[in-house]
mmCIF file with all atom_site columns, all heavy atoms in Angstrom:
data_model
loop_
_atom_site.group_PDB
_atom_site.id
_atom_site.type_symbol
_atom_site.label_atom_id
_atom_site.label_alt_id
_atom_site.label_comp_id
_atom_site.label_asym_id
_atom_site.label_entity_id
_atom_site.label_seq_id
_atom_site.pdbx_PDB_ins_code
_atom_site.Cartn_x
_atom_site.Cartn_y
_atom_site.Cartn_z
_atom_site.occupancy
_atom_site.B_iso_or_equiv
_atom_site.pdbx_formal_charge
_atom_site.auth_seq_id
_atom_site.auth_comp_id
_atom_site.auth_asym_id
_atom_site.auth_atom_id
_atom_site.pdbx_PDB_model_num
ATOM 1   N N   . GLN A 1 1  ? 4.976  8.624   0.004  1.00 0.00 ? 7  GLN A N   1
ATOM 2   C CA  . GLN A 1 1  ? 4.638  7.206   -0.117 1.00 0.00 ? 7  GLN A CA  1
ATOM 3   C C   . GLN A 1 1  ? 3.777  6.775   1.067  1.00 0.00 ? 7  GLN A C   1
ATOM 4   O O   . GLN A 1 1  ? 3.977  7.226   2.193  1.00 0.00 ? 7  GLN A O   1
ATOM 5   C CB  . GLN A 1 1  ? 5.917  6.365   -0.165 1.00 0.00 ? 7  GLN A CB  1
ATOM 6   C CG  . GLN A 1 1  ? 5.660  4.878   -0.328 1.00 0.00 ? 7  GLN A CG  1
ATOM 7   C CD  . GLN A 1 1  ? 6.940  4.095   -0.521 1.00 0.00 ? 7  GLN A CD  1
ATOM 8   O OE1 . GLN A 1 1  ? 7.795  4.486   -1.312 1.00 0.00 ? 7  GLN A OE1 1
ATOM 9   N NE2 . GLN A 1 1  ? 7.078  3.002   0.211  1.00 0.00 ? 7  GLN A NE2 1
ATOM 10  N N   . GLN A 1 2  ? 2.800  5.903   0.791  1.00 0.00 ? 8  GLN A N   1
ATOM 11  C CA  . GLN A 1 2  ? 1.885  5.411   1.828  1.00 0.00 ? 8  GLN A CA  1
ATOM 12  C C   . GLN A 1 2  ? 1.991  3.896   1.927  1.00 0.00 ? 8  GLN A C   1
ATOM 13  O O   . GLN A 1 2  ? 2.096  3.215   0.915  1.00 0.00 ? 8  GLN A O   1
ATOM 14  C CB  . GLN A 1 2  ? 0.436  5.759   1.473  1.00 0.00 ? 8  GLN A CB  1
ATOM 15  C CG  . GLN A 1 2  ? 0.154  7.225   1.382  1.00 0.00 ? 8  GLN A CG  1
ATOM 16  C CD  . GLN A 1 2  ? -1.280 7.470   0.966  1.00 0.00 ? 8  GLN A CD  1
ATOM 17  O OE1 . GLN A 1 2  ? -2.169 6.658   1.241  1.00 0.00 ? 8  GLN A OE1 1
ATOM 18  N NE2 . GLN A 1 2  ? -1.529 8.582   0.307  1.00 0.00 ? 8  GLN A NE2 1
ATOM 19  N N   . GLU A 1 3  ? 1.930  3.407   3.161  1.00 0.00 ? 9  GLU A N   1
ATOM 20  C CA  . GLU A 1 3  ? 1.974  1.969   3.396  1.00 0.00 ? 9  GLU A CA  1
ATOM 21  C C   . GLU A 1 3  ? 0.866  1.623   4.380  1.00 0.00 ? 9  GLU A C   1
ATOM 22  O O   . GLU A 1 3  ? 0.773  2.229   5.451  1.00 0.00 ? 9  GLU A O   1
ATOM 23  C CB  . GLU A 1 3  ? 3.333  1.599   3.979  1.00 0.00 ? 9  GLU A CB  1
ATOM 24  C CG  . GLU A 1 3  ? 3.475  0.142   4.348  1.00 0.00 ? 9  GLU A CG  1
ATOM 25  C CD  . GLU A 1 3  ? 4.825  -0.127  4.992  1.00 0.00 ? 9  GLU A CD  1
ATOM 26  O OE1 . GLU A 1 3  ? 5.810  -0.243  4.250  1.00 0.00 ? 9  GLU A OE1 1
ATOM 27  O OE2 . GLU A 1 3  ? 4.868  -0.185  6.237  1.00 0.00 ? 9  GLU A OE2 1
ATOM 28  N N   . THR A 1 4  ? 0.024  0.660   3.995  1.00 0.00 ? 10 THR A N   1
ATOM 29  C CA  . THR A 1 4  ? -1.052 0.225   4.879  1.00 0.00 ? 10 THR A CA  1
ATOM 30  C C   . THR A 1 4  ? -0.867 -1.261  5.154  1.00 0.00 ? 10 THR A C   1
ATOM 31  O O   . THR A 1 4  ? -0.767 -2.061  4.224  1.00 0.00 ? 10 THR A O   1
ATOM 32  C CB  . THR A 1 4  ? -2.441 0.466   4.249  1.00 0.00 ? 10 THR A CB  1
ATOM 33  O OG1 . THR A 1 4  ? -2.535 1.839   3.865  1.00 0.00 ? 10 THR A OG1 1
ATOM 34  C CG2 . THR A 1 4  ? -3.550 0.144   5.228  1.00 0.00 ? 10 THR A CG2 1
ATOM 35  N N   . LYS A 1 5  ? -0.781 -1.602  6.449  1.00 0.00 ? 11 LYS A N   1
ATOM 36  C CA  . LYS A 1 5  ? -0.665 -2.996  6.868  1.00 0.00 ? 11 LYS A CA  1
ATOM 37  C C   . LYS A 1 5  ? -1.964 -3.374  7.565  1.00 0.00 ? 11 LYS A C   1
ATOM 38  O O   . LYS A 1 5  ? -2.355 -2.747  8.549  1.00 0.00 ? 11 LYS A O   1
ATOM 39  C CB  . LYS A 1 5  ? 0.512  -3.183  7.832  1.00 0.00 ? 11 LYS A CB  1
ATOM 40  C CG  . LYS A 1 5  ? 1.858  -2.943  7.189  1.00 0.00 ? 11 LYS A CG  1
ATOM 41  C CD  . LYS A 1 5  ? 2.986  -3.165  8.192  1.00 0.00 ? 11 LYS A CD  1
ATOM 42  C CE  . LYS A 1 5  ? 4.328  -2.901  7.539  1.00 0.00 ? 11 LYS A CE  1
ATOM 43  N NZ  . LYS A 1 5  ? 5.433  -3.089  8.486  1.00 0.00 ? 11 LYS A NZ  1
ATOM 44  N N   . TYR A 1 6  ? -2.615 -4.410  7.031  1.00 0.00 ? 12 TYR A N   1
ATOM 45  C CA  . TYR A 1 6  ? -3.884 -4.868  7.585  1.00 0.00 ? 12 TYR A CA  1
ATOM 46  C C   . TYR A 1 6  ? -3.653 -6.040  8.529  1.00 0.00 ? 12 TYR A C   1
ATOM 47  O O   . TYR A 1 6  ? -2.637 -6.731  8.446  1.00 0.00 ? 12 TYR A O   1
ATOM 48  C CB  . TYR A 1 6  ? -4.830 -5.282  6.447  1.00 0.00 ? 12 TYR A CB  1
ATOM 49  C CG  . TYR A 1 6  ? -5.158 -4.137  5.508  1.00 0.00 ? 12 TYR A CG  1
ATOM 50  C CD1 . TYR A 1 6  ? -4.380 -3.894  4.376  1.00 0.00 ? 12 TYR A CD1 1
ATOM 51  C CD2 . TYR A 1 6  ? -6.232 -3.298  5.759  1.00 0.00 ? 12 TYR A CD2 1
ATOM 52  C CE1 . TYR A 1 6  ? -4.662 -2.842  3.504  1.00 0.00 ? 12 TYR A CE1 1
ATOM 53  C CE2 . TYR A 1 6  ? -6.533 -2.237  4.899  1.00 0.00 ? 12 TYR A CE2 1
ATOM 54  C CZ  . TYR A 1 6  ? -5.745 -2.024  3.777  1.00 0.00 ? 12 TYR A CZ  1
ATOM 55  O OH  . TYR A 1 6  ? -6.036 -0.986  2.936  1.00 0.00 ? 12 TYR A OH  1
ATOM 56  N N   . VAL A 1 7  ? -4.604 -6.278  9.413  1.00 0.00 ? 13 VAL A N   1
ATOM 57  C CA  . VAL A 1 7  ? -4.508 -7.365  10.383 1.00 0.00 ? 13 VAL A CA  1
ATOM 58  C C   . VAL A 1 7  ? -4.376 -8.712  9.678  1.00 0.00 ? 13 VAL A C   1
ATOM 59  O O   . VAL A 1 7  ? -3.686 -9.608  10.164 1.00 0.00 ? 13 VAL A O   1
ATOM 60  C CB  . VAL A 1 7  ? -5.755 -7.385  11.301 1.00 0.00 ? 13 VAL A CB  1
ATOM 61  C CG1 . VAL A 1 7  ? -5.685 -8.520  12.292 1.00 0.00 ? 13 VAL A CG1 1
ATOM 62  C CG2 . VAL A 1 7  ? -5.878 -6.075  12.025 1.00 0.00 ? 13 VAL A CG2 1
ATOM 63  N N   . SER A 1 8  ? -4.993 -8.853  8.530  1.00 0.00 ? 14 SER A N   1
ATOM 64  C CA  . SER A 1 8  ? -4.952 -10.106 7.774  1.00 0.00 ? 14 SER A CA  1
ATOM 65  C C   . SER A 1 8  ? -3.553 -10.430 7.261  1.00 0.00 ? 14 SER A C   1
ATOM 66  O O   . SER A 1 8  ? -3.297 -11.540 6.810  1.00 0.00 ? 14 SER A O   1
ATOM 67  C CB  . SER A 1 8  ? -5.903 -10.012 6.587  1.00 0.00 ? 14 SER A CB  1
ATOM 68  O OG  . SER A 1 8  ? -5.450 -9.003  5.679  1.00 0.00 ? 14 SER A OG  1
ATOM 69  N N   . GLY A 1 9  ? -2.648 -9.440  7.293  1.00 0.00 ? 15 GLY A N   1
ATOM 70  C CA  . GLY A 1 9  ? -1.299 -9.635  6.757  1.00 0.00 ? 15 GLY A CA  1
ATOM 71  C C   . GLY A 1 9  ? -1.121 -8.929  5.423  1.00 0.00 ? 15 GLY A C   1
ATOM 72  O O   . GLY A 1 9  ? -0.008 -8.817  4.915  1.00 0.00 ? 15 GLY A O   1
ATOM 73  N N   . ARG A 1 10 ? -2.219 -8.496  4.845  1.00 0.00 ? 16 ARG A N   1
ATOM 74  C CA  . ARG A 1 10 ? -2.164 -7.770  3.567  1.00 0.00 ? 16 ARG A CA  1
ATOM 75  C C   . ARG A 1 10 ? -1.375 -6.473  3.744  1.00 0.00 ? 16 ARG A C   1
ATOM 76  O O   . ARG A 1 10 ? -1.495 -5.789  4.757  1.00 0.00 ? 16 ARG A O   1
ATOM 77  C CB  . ARG A 1 10 ? -3.589 -7.450  3.112  1.00 0.00 ? 16 ARG A CB  1
ATOM 78  C CG  . ARG A 1 10 ? -3.663 -6.578  1.894  1.00 0.00 ? 16 ARG A CG  1
ATOM 79  C CD  . ARG A 1 10 ? -5.100 -6.256  1.562  1.00 0.00 ? 16 ARG A CD  1
ATOM 80  N NE  . ARG A 1 10 ? -5.185 -5.298  0.464  1.00 0.00 ? 16 ARG A NE  1
ATOM 81  C CZ  . ARG A 1 10 ? -6.289 -4.655  0.133  1.00 0.00 ? 16 ARG A CZ  1
ATOM 82  N NH1 . ARG A 1 10 ? -7.425 -4.875  0.786  1.00 0.00 ? 16 ARG A NH1 1
ATOM 83  N NH2 . ARG A 1 10 ? -6.275 -3.812  -0.864 1.00 0.00 ? 16 ARG A NH2 1
ATOM 84  N N   . ILE A 1 11 ? -0.557 -6.136  2.733  1.00 0.00 ? 17 ILE A N   1
ATOM 85  C CA  . ILE A 1 11 ? 0.205  -4.888  2.729  1.00 0.00 ? 17 ILE A CA  1
ATOM 86  C C   . ILE A 1 11 ? -0.054 -4.183  1.409  1.00 0.00 ? 17 ILE A C   1
ATOM 87  O O   . ILE A 1 11 ? 0.029  -4.794  0.339  1.00 0.00 ? 17 ILE A O   1
ATOM 88  C CB  . ILE A 1 11 ? 1.721  -5.152  2.889  1.00 0.00 ? 17 ILE A CB  1
ATOM 89  C CG1 . ILE A 1 11 ? 2.000  -5.821  4.241  1.00 0.00 ? 17 ILE A CG1 1
ATOM 90  C CG2 . ILE A 1 11 ? 2.512  -3.855  2.750  1.00 0.00 ? 17 ILE A CG2 1
ATOM 91  C CD1 . ILE A 1 11 ? 3.431  -6.263  4.437  1.00 0.00 ? 17 ILE A CD1 1
ATOM 92  N N   . ARG A 1 12 ? -0.388 -2.915  1.488  1.00 0.00 ? 18 ARG A N   1
ATOM 93  C CA  . ARG A 1 12 ? -0.600 -2.115  0.277  1.00 0.00 ? 18 ARG A CA  1
ATOM 94  C C   . ARG A 1 12 ? 0.305  -0.896  0.353  1.00 0.00 ? 18 ARG A C   1
ATOM 95  O O   . ARG A 1 12 ? 0.289  -0.173  1.359  1.00 0.00 ? 18 ARG A O   1
ATOM 96  C CB  . ARG A 1 12 ? -2.058 -1.683  0.155  1.00 0.00 ? 18 ARG A CB  1
ATOM 97  C CG  . ARG A 1 12 ? -2.317 -0.930  -1.155 1.00 0.00 ? 18 ARG A CG  1
ATOM 98  C CD  . ARG A 1 12 ? -3.770 -0.601  -1.352 1.00 0.00 ? 18 ARG A CD  1
ATOM 99  N NE  . ARG A 1 12 ? -4.195 0.307   -0.289 1.00 0.00 ? 18 ARG A NE  1
ATOM 100 C CZ  . ARG A 1 12 ? -5.450 0.524   0.066  1.00 0.00 ? 18 ARG A CZ  1
ATOM 101 N NH1 . ARG A 1 12 ? -6.427 -0.118  -0.530 1.00 0.00 ? 18 ARG A NH1 1
ATOM 102 N NH2 . ARG A 1 12 ? -5.751 1.352   1.022  1.00 0.00 ? 18 ARG A NH2 1
ATOM 103 N N   . ILE A 1 13 ? 1.069  -0.668  -0.713 1.00 0.00 ? 19 ILE A N   1
ATOM 104 C CA  . ILE A 1 13 ? 1.968  0.480   -0.769 1.00 0.00 ? 19 ILE A CA  1
ATOM 105 C C   . ILE A 1 13 ? 1.597  1.322   -1.981 1.00 0.00 ? 19 ILE A C   1
ATOM 106 O O   . ILE A 1 13 ? 1.420  0.795   -3.090 1.00 0.00 ? 19 ILE A O   1
ATOM 107 C CB  . ILE A 1 13 ? 3.448  0.024   -0.863 1.00 0.00 ? 19 ILE A CB  1
ATOM 108 C CG1 . ILE A 1 13 ? 3.809  -0.806  0.383  1.00 0.00 ? 19 ILE A CG1 1
ATOM 109 C CG2 . ILE A 1 13 ? 4.374  1.231   -0.995 1.00 0.00 ? 19 ILE A CG2 1
ATOM 110 C CD1 . ILE A 1 13 ? 5.199  -1.415  0.350  1.00 0.00 ? 19 ILE A CD1 1
ATOM 111 N N   . LYS A 1 14 ? 1.474  2.637   -1.756 1.00 0.00 ? 20 LYS A N   1
ATOM 112 C CA  . LYS A 1 14 ? 1.165  3.574   -2.837 1.00 0.00 ? 20 LYS A CA  1
ATOM 113 C C   . LYS A 1 14 ? 2.296  4.579   -2.944 1.00 0.00 ? 20 LYS A C   1
ATOM 114 O O   . LYS A 1 14 ? 2.908  4.956   -1.948 1.00 0.00 ? 20 LYS A O   1
ATOM 115 C CB  . LYS A 1 14 ? -0.132 4.336   -2.537 1.00 0.00 ? 20 LYS A CB  1
ATOM 116 C CG  . LYS A 1 14 ? -1.368 3.469   -2.501 1.00 0.00 ? 20 LYS A CG  1
ATOM 117 C CD  . LYS A 1 14 ? -2.597 4.337   -2.221 1.00 0.00 ? 20 LYS A CD  1
ATOM 118 C CE  . LYS A 1 14 ? -3.865 3.517   -2.144 1.00 0.00 ? 20 LYS A CE  1
ATOM 119 N NZ  . LYS A 1 14 ? -5.031 4.387   -1.866 1.00 0.00 ? 20 LYS A NZ  1
ATOM 120 N N   . ASP A 1 15 ? 2.541  5.053   -4.179 1.00 0.00 ? 21 ASP A N   1
ATOM 121 C CA  . ASP A 1 15 ? 3.547  6.095   -4.357 1.00 0.00 ? 21 ASP A CA  1
ATOM 122 C C   . ASP A 1 15 ? 2.960  7.451   -3.972 1.00 0.00 ? 21 ASP A C   1
ATOM 123 O O   . ASP A 1 15 ? 1.790  7.549   -3.595 1.00 0.00 ? 21 ASP A O   1
ATOM 124 C CB  . ASP A 1 15 ? 4.101  6.095   -5.789 1.00 0.00 ? 21 ASP A CB  1
ATOM 125 C CG  . ASP A 1 15 ? 3.080  6.488   -6.844 1.00 0.00 ? 21 ASP A CG  1
ATOM 126 O OD1 . ASP A 1 15 ? 2.022  7.062   -6.496 1.00 0.00 ? 21 ASP A OD1 1
ATOM 127 O OD2 . ASP A 1 15 ? 3.356  6.227   -8.034 1.00 0.00 ? 21 ASP A OD2 1
ATOM 128 N N   . LYS A 1 16 ? 3.759  8.505   -4.110 1.00 0.00 ? 22 LYS A N   1
ATOM 129 C CA  . LYS A 1 16 ? 3.330  9.845   -3.674 1.00 0.00 ? 22 LYS A CA  1
ATOM 130 C C   . LYS A 1 16 ? 2.104  10.351  -4.427 1.00 0.00 ? 22 LYS A C   1
ATOM 131 O O   . LYS A 1 16 ? 1.385  11.210  -3.941 1.00 0.00 ? 22 LYS A O   1
ATOM 132 C CB  . LYS A 1 16 ? 4.473  10.844  -3.818 1.00 0.00 ? 22 LYS A CB  1
ATOM 133 C CG  . LYS A 1 16 ? 4.959  11.074  -5.231 1.00 0.00 ? 22 LYS A CG  1
ATOM 134 C CD  . LYS A 1 16 ? 6.100  12.074  -5.242 1.00 0.00 ? 22 LYS A CD  1
ATOM 135 C CE  . LYS A 1 16 ? 6.689  12.278  -6.599 1.00 0.00 ? 22 LYS A CE  1
ATOM 136 N NZ  . LYS A 1 16 ? 5.798  12.816  -7.575 1.00 0.00 ? 22 LYS A NZ  1
ATOM 137 N N   . ASP A 1 17 ? 1.832  9.792   -5.600 1.00 0.00 ? 23 ASP A N   1
ATOM 138 C CA  . ASP A 1 17 ? 0.677  10.226  -6.385 1.00 0.00 ? 23 ASP A CA  1
ATOM 139 C C   . ASP A 1 17 ? -0.559 9.368   -6.130 1.00 0.00 ? 23 ASP A C   1
ATOM 140 O O   . ASP A 1 17 ? -1.593 9.581   -6.752 1.00 0.00 ? 23 ASP A O   1
ATOM 141 C CB  . ASP A 1 17 ? 1.028  10.196  -7.883 1.00 0.00 ? 23 ASP A CB  1
ATOM 142 C CG  . ASP A 1 17 ? 2.185  11.136  -8.202 1.00 0.00 ? 23 ASP A CG  1
ATOM 143 O OD1 . ASP A 1 17 ? 2.195  12.265  -7.656 1.00 0.00 ? 23 ASP A OD1 1
ATOM 144 O OD2 . ASP A 1 17 ? 3.078  10.739  -8.991 1.00 0.00 ? 23 ASP A OD2 1
ATOM 145 N N   . GLY A 1 18 ? -0.421 8.385   -5.252 1.00 0.00 ? 24 GLY A N   1
ATOM 146 C CA  . GLY A 1 18 ? -1.572 7.520   -4.917 1.00 0.00 ? 24 GLY A CA  1
ATOM 147 C C   . GLY A 1 18 ? -1.680 6.275   -5.773 1.00 0.00 ? 24 GLY A C   1
ATOM 148 O O   . GLY A 1 18 ? -2.647 5.539   -5.665 1.00 0.00 ? 24 GLY A O   1
ATOM 149 N N   . ASN A 1 19 ? -0.689 6.033   -6.630 1.00 0.00 ? 25 ASN A N   1
ATOM 150 C CA  . ASN A 1 19 ? -0.689 4.827   -7.477 1.00 0.00 ? 25 ASN A CA  1
ATOM 151 C C   . ASN A 1 19 ? -0.217 3.635   -6.660 1.00 0.00 ? 25 ASN A C   1
ATOM 152 O O   . ASN A 1 19 ? 0.786  3.703   -5.941 1.00 0.00 ? 25 ASN A O   1
ATOM 153 C CB  . ASN A 1 19 ? 0.240  5.009   -8.683 1.00 0.00 ? 25 ASN A CB  1
ATOM 154 C CG  . ASN A 1 19 ? -0.180 6.197   -9.528 1.00 0.00 ? 25 ASN A CG  1
ATOM 155 O OD1 . ASN A 1 19 ? -1.353 6.358   -9.853 1.00 0.00 ? 25 ASN A OD1 1
ATOM 156 N ND2 . ASN A 1 19 ? 0.775  7.058   -9.868 1.00 0.00 ? 25 ASN A ND2 1
ATOM 157 N N   . ILE A 1 20 ? -0.930 2.509   -6.769 1.00 0.00 ? 26 ILE A N   1
ATOM 158 C CA  . ILE A 1 20 ? -0.569 1.317   -6.027 1.00 0.00 ? 26 ILE A CA  1
ATOM 159 C C   . ILE A 1 20 ? 0.690  0.696   -6.620 1.00 0.00 ? 26 ILE A C   1
ATOM 160 O O   . ILE A 1 20 ? 0.773  0.413   -7.818 1.00 0.00 ? 26 ILE A O   1
ATOM 161 C CB  . ILE A 1 20 ? -1.723 0.278   -6.049 1.00 0.00 ? 26 ILE A CB  1
ATOM 162 C CG1 . ILE A 1 20 ? -2.932 0.872   -5.318 1.00 0.00 ? 26 ILE A CG1 1
ATOM 163 C CG2 . ILE A 1 20 ? -1.285 -1.030  -5.393 1.00 0.00 ? 26 ILE A CG2 1
ATOM 164 C CD1 . ILE A 1 20 ? -4.166 0.007   -5.364 1.00 0.00 ? 26 ILE A CD1 1
ATOM 165 N N   . ILE A 1 21 ? 1.696  0.517   -5.763 1.00 0.00 ? 27 ILE A N   1
ATOM 166 C CA  . ILE A 1 21 ? 2.965  -0.098  -6.156 1.00 0.00 ? 27 ILE A CA  1
ATOM 167 C C   . ILE A 1 21 ? 2.924  -1.594  -5.819 1.00 0.00 ? 27 ILE A C   1
ATOM 168 O O   . ILE A 1 21 ? 3.283  -2.451  -6.622 1.00 0.00 ? 27 ILE A O   1
ATOM 169 C CB  . ILE A 1 21 ? 4.156  0.542   -5.427 1.00 0.00 ? 27 ILE A CB  1
ATOM 170 C CG1 . ILE A 1 21 ? 4.254  2.042   -5.781 1.00 0.00 ? 27 ILE A CG1 1
ATOM 171 C CG2 . ILE A 1 21 ? 5.455  -0.145  -5.770 1.00 0.00 ? 27 ILE A CG2 1
ATOM 172 C CD1 . ILE A 1 21 ? 5.275  2.780   -4.944 1.00 0.00 ? 27 ILE A CD1 1
ATOM 173 N N   . ILE A 1 22 ? 2.476  -1.884  -4.614 1.00 0.00 ? 28 ILE A N   1
ATOM 174 C CA  . ILE A 1 22 ? 2.391  -3.272  -4.128 1.00 0.00 ? 28 ILE A CA  1
ATOM 175 C C   . ILE A 1 22 ? 1.069  -3.447  -3.415 1.00 0.00 ? 28 ILE A C   1
ATOM 176 O O   . ILE A 1 22 ? 0.647  -2.578  -2.630 1.00 0.00 ? 28 ILE A O   1
ATOM 177 C CB  . ILE A 1 22 ? 3.536  -3.592  -3.141 1.00 0.00 ? 28 ILE A CB  1
ATOM 178 C CG1 . ILE A 1 22 ? 4.903  -3.461  -3.806 1.00 0.00 ? 28 ILE A CG1 1
ATOM 179 C CG2 . ILE A 1 22 ? 3.367  -4.995  -2.554 1.00 0.00 ? 28 ILE A CG2 1
ATOM 180 C CD1 . ILE A 1 22 ? 6.055  -3.580  -2.824 1.00 0.00 ? 28 ILE A CD1 1
ATOM 181 N N   . ASP A 1 23 ? 0.405  -4.593  -3.667 1.00 0.00 ? 29 ASP A N   1
ATOM 182 C CA  . ASP A 1 23 ? -0.798 -4.926  -2.892 1.00 0.00 ? 29 ASP A CA  1
ATOM 183 C C   . ASP A 1 23 ? -0.785 -6.436  -2.758 1.00 0.00 ? 29 ASP A C   1
ATOM 184 O O   . ASP A 1 23 ? -1.028 -7.170  -3.724 1.00 0.00 ? 29 ASP A O   1
ATOM 185 C CB  . ASP A 1 23 ? -2.064 -4.445  -3.603 1.00 0.00 ? 29 ASP A CB  1
ATOM 186 C CG  . ASP A 1 23 ? -3.284 -4.542  -2.686 1.00 0.00 ? 29 ASP A CG  1
ATOM 187 O OD1 . ASP A 1 23 ? -3.204 -5.197  -1.618 1.00 0.00 ? 29 ASP A OD1 1
ATOM 188 O OD2 . ASP A 1 23 ? -4.309 -3.924  -3.035 1.00 0.00 ? 29 ASP A OD2 1
ATOM 189 N N   . THR A 1 24 ? -0.479 -6.911  -1.557 1.00 0.00 ? 30 THR A N   1
ATOM 190 C CA  . THR A 1 24 ? -0.402 -8.355  -1.312 1.00 0.00 ? 30 THR A CA  1
ATOM 191 C C   . THR A 1 24 ? -1.746 -8.835  -0.799 1.00 0.00 ? 30 THR A C   1
ATOM 192 O O   . THR A 1 24 ? -1.904 -9.116  0.388  1.00 0.00 ? 30 THR A O   1
ATOM 193 C CB  . THR A 1 24 ? 0.700  -8.678  -0.300 1.00 0.00 ? 30 THR A CB  1
ATOM 194 O OG1 . THR A 1 24 ? 0.376  -8.028  0.928  1.00 0.00 ? 30 THR A OG1 1
ATOM 195 C CG2 . THR A 1 24 ? 2.059  -8.254  -0.773 1.00 0.00 ? 30 THR A CG2 1
#
């Protein structure tokens, strides 16, 4: 699983296959 937190506050989480689970 991958989680990217941007300075803007946006959070994107992908599962192990690269599918986006959450993108705020």
